[in-house]
Amino acid sequence: RRGDIVLDPFMGSGTTAIACIRLNRKYIGIELMPKYHKLILTNIKEEILTANIINNFFITIYLIALCAK
């Protein structure tokens, strides 16, 4: 349902995050592999700009940044 929270402990390329943007769900994503961090951020930013939608994705970006350190 709209506004539900989805937890994705293995983000990969961020496909689930993009689905959440399109379905207006909140998203918490975790990815430990540094090679995916830039790809995930790029894909999420592109989706937000393309769809012209801004949701609560600060949690996702914050978790990615923590894993990158």
Side-chain angles (χ1 to χ4, degrees), residues 49-64:
L49 290 175
T50 301
N52 199 21
I53 298 171
I54 299 176
N55 277 327
N56 295 323
F57 285 90
F58 297 108
I59 295 171
T60 301
I61 294 168
Y62 178 70
L63 285 174
I64 293 169

Side-chain angles (χ1 to χ4, degrees), residues 2-3 17-27 48 52-59 61:
R2 192 174 201 179
I18 291 170
C20 288
I21 293 170
R22 292 178 182 174
L23 297 172
N24 199 21
R25 286 167 172 75
K26 296 178 181 178
Y27 182 79
I48 289 171
N52 199 21
I53 298 171
I54 299 176
N55 277 327
N56 295 323
F57 285 90
F58 297 108
I59 295 171
I61 294 168

